[in-house]
Amino acid sequence: MQTLQSLEYEELYSHYNKYLSEFLPYSSNNRYTDLITLPESIGSGMISRTRVRPGMEIIIADCRMRDVHTMQLHGNLPMVDLTFWIQGNIEILHSGTQEQISPGLGHLTFGLEQQLELKYAAGVPITICEIRLATALFDELMDELGHARYSFALILDGRENRIFHQSILPKVQSILQDIRSHPFAGPMRKMFLEGKTLELLALWFQQTLFEDEVSAQRGGIRLRKEDIARVREASEILEKRMEQPPSLLELSKLAGISDSKLKSGFRELFGTTVFGYLKEKRLYKAKELLEMERINVCDAAIMVGYSNPSHFAAIFRERFGCNPREWIIESKRL
């Protein structure tokens, strides 16, 4: 006999097919993963969909649309959705509000129903990683974590939808890269993706839902909620000005926070120093440029703020295990 909970899990799986119907038929790689190859009339690339456990699936899209493409998402199945926009510019129309999504953003969405319109640009590489949770499973996870007060219903608090926005931090970028480049297949792939999916959820829940409960203390300094917002503002300034970043003191003034709180805040929120955060963002941006734009190593180094290509190549190799030229060759094979 099926329980309400098991029915909800099955609905989550069947619910997505109607949105992917224009890309079907798909092939089932194994009993866990469905693979969709985009037809030439629409574009190129693939979408994989893996059921990592009942009520939890991860969808990875690496594709390119031939023409401007619009997808309508309308449904009334309650769910929790965590989407990472890795590559590509996408326009979203949500509840009458239009938003331009740029790479490097993550959205944690709680919704009773979906009313979305997604518009994809023509000829632009698109990479998206999406985690979908049945609401019953989300509530189970919150209960296991001792956060039952963060149930799906209590988070919505009478609203139809609620969205938490967050920049993709270096730790999360690293996990997403692992997901896209892992060597596993079959049951091992499913096991690997389940672990990485739970890791992503843990980091994102900590950064969004449980932010107020983070003990943001280091060296006797406690970060208030407004201080956390200023630290995040400082991180956005660094990302926008990575080619010519401000000094630590200038950055603290721009963000309206003391340099001591700025340093401790980066340690607490991002797990690294201000310089370490900048270094990670530069390297991932350079890797993205090498992959997407097919530019040379010297130009990529300069565009992210490195005047010495040899130094850039050395730290790139240290971070990613290959030098930039090798990465260009590898990306052309994808």
Side-chain angles (χ1 to χ4, degrees):
M1 180 178 178
Q2 289 183 312
T3 65
L4 177 62
Q5 195 172 71
S6 66
L7 287 171
E8 183 186 37
Y9 291 160
E10 289 182 8
E11 283 181 331
L12 179 72
Y13 174 64
S14 61
H15 178 258
Y16 206 55
N17 278 347
K18 63 180 179 180
Y19 301 130
L20 298 177
S21 59
E22 61 189 302
F23 305 138
L24 303 180
Y26 57 80
S27 62
S28 184
N29 195 32
N30 52 60
R31 63 193 179 112
Y32 307 112
T33 301
D34 297 330
L35 296 176
I36 299 171
T37 301
L38 264 66
E40 291 183 5
S41 59
I42 294 178
S44 60
M46 298 193 71
I47 301 171
S48 70
R49 184 180 179 205
T50 302
R51 300 173 293 285
V52 294
R53 63 163 63 177
M56 181 188 296
E57 60 184 28
I58 180 168
I59 299 153
I60 304 164
D62 272 301
C63 53
R64 188 190 303 253
M65 300 298 176
R66 193 182 74 172
D67 303 307
V68 174
H69 185 83
T70 301
M71 179 181 287
Q72 304 282 345
L73 301 181
H74 300 296
N76 58 1
L77 178 68
M79 72 176 69
V80 179
D81 186 289
L82 175 55
T83 303
F84 300 97
W85 310 96
I86 303 170
Q87 284 190 91
N89 293 312
I90 302 165
E91 289 183 13
I92 295 182
L93 184 64
H94 183 268
S95 302
T97 302
Q98 188 168 345
E99 183 179 1
Q100 182 74 38
I101 300 297
S102 299
L105 287 177
H107 290 170
L108 175 61
T109 303
F110 297 83
L112 294 176
E113 60 179 75
Q114 287 183 317
Q115 299 290 332
L116 294 175
E117 180 180 288
L118 305 178
K119 187 176 182 180
Y120 302 93
V124 178
I126 297 167
T127 306
I128 301 169
C129 179
E130 180 184 4
I131 298 169
R132 295 157 60 89
L133 293 174
T135 58
L137 178 59
F138 174 79
D139 287 346
E140 280 182 12
L141 292 173
M142 292 299 102
D143 189 53
E144 290 176 8
L145 293 171
H147 291 293
R149 61 189 174 282
Y150 288 98
S151 69
F152 179 82
L154 290 176
I155 288 173
L156 283 180
D157 192 24
R159 288 167 283 197
E160 291 291 321
N161 296 280
R162 190 172 181 188
I163 303 176
F164 295 84
H165 304 267
Q166 176 77 33
S167 298
I168 299 178
L169 305 179
K171 284 183 181 178
V172 174
Q173 286 178 328
S174 180
I175 299 169
L176 291 170
Q177 181 63 29
D178 289 343
I179 286 173
R180 295 178 61 201
S181 60
H182 68 82
F184 303 107
M188 287 293 290
R189 180 181 188 274
K190 183 255 185 188
M191 180 183 292
F192 176 84
L193 288 179
E194 181 176 3
K196 290 297 178 179
T197 299
L198 291 172
E199 193 175 355
L200 285 173
L201 290 172
L203 285 170
W204 217 258
F205 291 161
Q206 184 69 29
Q207 293 164 15
T208 54
L209 301 182
F210 310 148
E211 175 185 274
D212 292 338
E213 298 187 12
V214 174
S215 178
Q217 299 182 54
R218 197 173 184 86
I221 297 175
R222 180 176 178 81
L223 293 177
R224 298 170 299 174
K225 191 167 185 177
E226 53 266 36
D227 292 330
I228 293 173
R230 289 180 181 131
V231 170
R232 288 192 170 137
E233 182 180 348
S235 72
E236 293 172 2
I237 293 171
L238 282 180
E239 291 180 43
K240 292 176 182 176
R241 296 177 54 179
M242 65 172 62
E243 185 178 351
Q244 292 183 316
S247 67
L248 185 64
L249 287 177
E250 183 185 356
L251 181 63
S252 65
K253 290 179 181 178
L254 289 171
I257 189 173
S258 70
D259 60 327
S260 57
K261 283 188 176 181
L262 184 67
K263 289 187 287 187
S264 63
F266 266 77
R267 285 281 190 190
E268 182 63 36
L269 295 181
F270 307 131
T272 186
T273 63
V274 176
F275 176 75
Y277 180 90
L278 174 62
K279 178 182 175 182
E280 282 285 292
K281 285 293 183 180
R282 280 174 159 174
L283 288 173
Y284 273 98
K285 180 62 177 179
K287 184 163 69 67
E288 182 181 308
L289 289 169
L290 293 171
E291 180 179 338
M292 293 176 59
E293 305 294 340
R294 312 297 194 220
I295 64 176
N296 63 49
V297 175
C298 185
D299 287 345
I302 292 171
M303 289 175 70
V304 297
Y306 288 101
S307 58
N308 186 331
S310 297
H311 174 61
F312 165 71
I315 61 174
F316 189 98
R317 183 170 56 253
E318 179 185 348
R319 181 65 184 85
F320 300 115
C322 65
N323 64 47
R325 295 188 191 282
E326 291 171 338
W327 178 256
I328 293 175
I329 295 171
E330 183 63 28
S331 66
K332 287 180 179 179
R333 294 175 183 166
L334 300 177

